[in-house]
Amino acid sequence: MKILVIGGSQFVGRAFVTEALARGHEVTTFNRGVSAADLPGVEAVHGDREVTADLERLVAGGRHWDAVVDTCGYVPRVVGEGARVLSGHADAYLYVSSLAALRGWGADPSVDDDSPAHDCPPDAGPDDGDYGVLKAGCERAVTRHFEGRTLLFRAGVITGPYDNVGQLDAWLWRLRAAEGGRRRVLAPGNPDLAMRVIDARDIAAFGLHCLDARRTGPYIVAAPEDHTTYGAWLAACAEATGTDPELEWVDDDFLLGHGVTPWTDLPMWIPDAPEHTCMWATPATRAEAAGLVCRPPAETVRDTWAVLRERPAPELPLANTHGHLSGLAAGRERELLAAWDARRGPDTAARRT
Ligand SMILES: NC(=O)c1ccc[n+]([C@@H]2O[C@H](COP(=O)([O-])OP(=O)(O)OC[C@H]3O[C@@H](n4cnc5c(N)ncnc54)[C@H](OP(=O)(O)O)[C@@H]3O)[C@@H](O)[C@H]2O)c1
């Protein structure tokens, strides 16, 4: 296939490019050439998806692709204009959306492949809704110009090598720092809580499989329910980094009471309560039936560390390219552990007696 990847130099787009090249496809990438280098083996076209003239230059000369893979669409009006320009130049359009596009996701454990998306017009601007609402508008914007030729991937939490969000990276760096003198690590909440975090490379493999098979329509893409738990995930991080930390599982109420922010201060932590944990509950039933396969989580963690370990160790929190912070500063973590010890003292003594 000839594939056009919008983005393609970072994380999810990079995973699509790598997988497509490995399968022998011809890949064109379209990005601004700003945030990361293009991968060897692609035809790299530089331009801004927000500029119609750049899109017209991309398709000039009657270019044609079997499929577009759009990994960096956030604003319906922008995505729609791109889809309009590309509509006569590609057979299919895979848009990487999000579970957040689904109404009720995060609050309703019954959300599934048939749940409706948020109401958002296909020409909405950047201020017309939050991330999830706008993703739903982007889905409509693509569908308007690629009616019957659209694949929508409603992704849950994604990680893996070159993750540009930084949540797994923050855990890996934190556990690596547990080497030597700092062996105790504050771990969040319930170690048995299931996480459906998915590797970007598995999304890419499934996407190319679907394009090959000319599949269309919406698919939730997330790992199966028994994929991993917080405990197994942090154990995999420790193993990958060659460390043996003492994980101090601190309960949710203590963390919330001490102002620790779920999801960012302790990456991927959400309090173990029904209104939160249904974020991990959404099943990828249709995708699994269509051939989605998720690699073992330990492989995701190991391969991510293999990329990171070549870089100088950063201070936490990590700031990513979207401005999100991940991880607790070392001093703040020490304060929290000291407060936890102080609170736990009498109980520990009681247990000892
Ligand atoms: N991470 C998660 O847990 C998660 C969960 C659900 C869904 N998702 C979805 O997965 C996708 C994330 O993919 P990602 O991390 O690979 O993408 P990303 O960070 O959104 O995009 C980065 C890529 O897009 C290019 N780009 C940025 N602005 C551009 C512009 N104006 N014109 C042309 N190219 C532009 C960048 O290159 P240049 O800077 O050089 O232009 C780079 O190649 C998003 O659609 C997100 O909504 C993520």
Side-chain angles (χ1 to χ4, degrees), residues 9-10 12 32-35 48-49 71 74 131 135 158 164:
S9 58
Q10 284 201 43
V12 178
R32 296 164 304 172
V34 169
S35 59
D48 189 333
R49 69 177 303 160
T71 61
Y74 299 95
Y131 168 76
K135 287 298 257 190
I158 311 171
N164 59 8

Side-chain angles (χ1 to χ4, degrees), residues 189-190 193 252 269-274 276-277:
N190 175 2
L193 207 60
D252 291 336
W269 163 58
I270 42 176
D272 185 6
H276 298 298
T277 45

Side-chain angles (χ1 to χ4, degrees), residues 6-345:
I6 307 181
S9 58
Q10 284 201 43
F11 190 30
V12 178
R14 182 187 174 112
F16 266 99
V17 168
T18 306
E19 184 67 27
L21 291 174
R23 291 177 183 218
H25 299 307
E26 280 179 47
V27 180
T28 305
T29 56
F30 178 71
N31 58 57
R32 296 164 304 172
V34 169
S35 59
D38 295 305
L39 292 188
V42 302
E43 177 206 17
V45 179
H46 287 164
D48 189 333
R49 69 177 303 160
E50 299 193 26
V51 177
T52 301
D54 287 0
L55 294 162
E56 284 168 347
R57 178 169 46 81
L58 169 69
V59 301
R63 296 292 306 267
H64 195 275
W65 293 273
D66 297 294
V68 178
V69 175
D70 184 350
T71 61
C72 60
Y74 299 95
V75 179
R77 190 185 296 156
V78 172
V79 171
E81 175 62 358
R84 182 191 69 76
V85 173
L86 288 166
S87 61
H89 298 272
D91 295 336
Y93 198 115
L94 190 169
Y95 173 66
V96 180
S97 185
S98 165
L99 276 179
L102 295 173
R103 230 185 292 160
W105 176 74
D108 176 357
S110 71
V111 165
D112 63 14
D113 280 307
D114 296 321
S115 296
H118 287 290
D119 287 324
C120 179
D123 56 356
D127 302 322
D128 292 335
D130 64 16
Y131 168 76
V133 168
L134 294 178
K135 287 298 257 190
C138 291
E139 292 184 357
R140 286 195 188 94
V142 172
T143 305
R144 179 193 254 184
H145 295 287
F146 281 79
E147 183 79 51
R149 303 183 283 150
T150 306
L151 253 178
L152 303 174
F153 274 11
R154 293 166 172 165
V157 178
I158 311 171
T159 192
Y162 305 99
D163 182 345
N164 59 8
V165 179
Q167 296 191 307
L168 173 55
D169 296 15
W171 275 117
L172 286 164
W173 285 120
R174 175 63 194 95
L175 292 183
R176 184 61 177 174
E179 217 181 19
R182 291 180 56 216
R183 301 189 65 79
R184 275 181 96 204
V185 172
L186 190 152
N190 175 2
D192 299 323
L193 207 60
M195 296 163 71
R196 292 176 184 264
V197 61
I198 189 168
D199 192 306
R201 297 170 296 175
D202 296 332
I203 295 182
F206 180 58
L208 293 166
H209 165 72
C210 288
L211 290 171
D212 255 339
R214 299 183 183 278
R215 288 186 182 275
T216 57
Y219 291 83
I220 287 173
V221 285
E225 188 178 15
D226 60 356
H227 191 58
T228 193
T229 60
Y230 282 83
W233 188 251
L234 292 194
C237 289
E239 188 175 343
T241 52
T243 53
D244 185 20
E246 194 185 310
L247 296 173
E248 188 73 47
W249 292 92
V250 176
D251 70 48
D252 291 336
D253 289 343
F254 176 89
L255 293 171
L256 292 170
H258 284 75
V260 178
T261 310
W263 208 249
T264 52
D265 279 345
L266 290 170
M268 297 187 195
W269 163 58
I270 42 176
D272 185 6
E275 69 272 25
H276 298 298
T277 45
C278 60
M279 282 180 72
W280 292 119
T282 315
T285 313
R286 194 178 290 153
E288 284 170 15
L292 172 65
V293 177
C294 294
R295 73 195 63 213
E299 186 178 325
T300 300
V301 170
R302 194 176 56 237
D303 293 351
T304 305
W305 178 245
V307 174
L308 286 185
R309 67 185 306 163
E310 303 301 325
R311 303 178 185 165
E315 291 290 319
L316 297 183
L318 297 180
N320 71 17
T321 47
H322 293 281
H324 301 143
L325 297 177
S326 290
L328 282 173
R332 173 109 171 91
E333 185 185 1
R334 274 195 298 275
E335 285 167 18
L336 287 163
L337 282 170
W340 174 247
D341 288 343
R343 192 198 87 145
R344 213 180 43 155

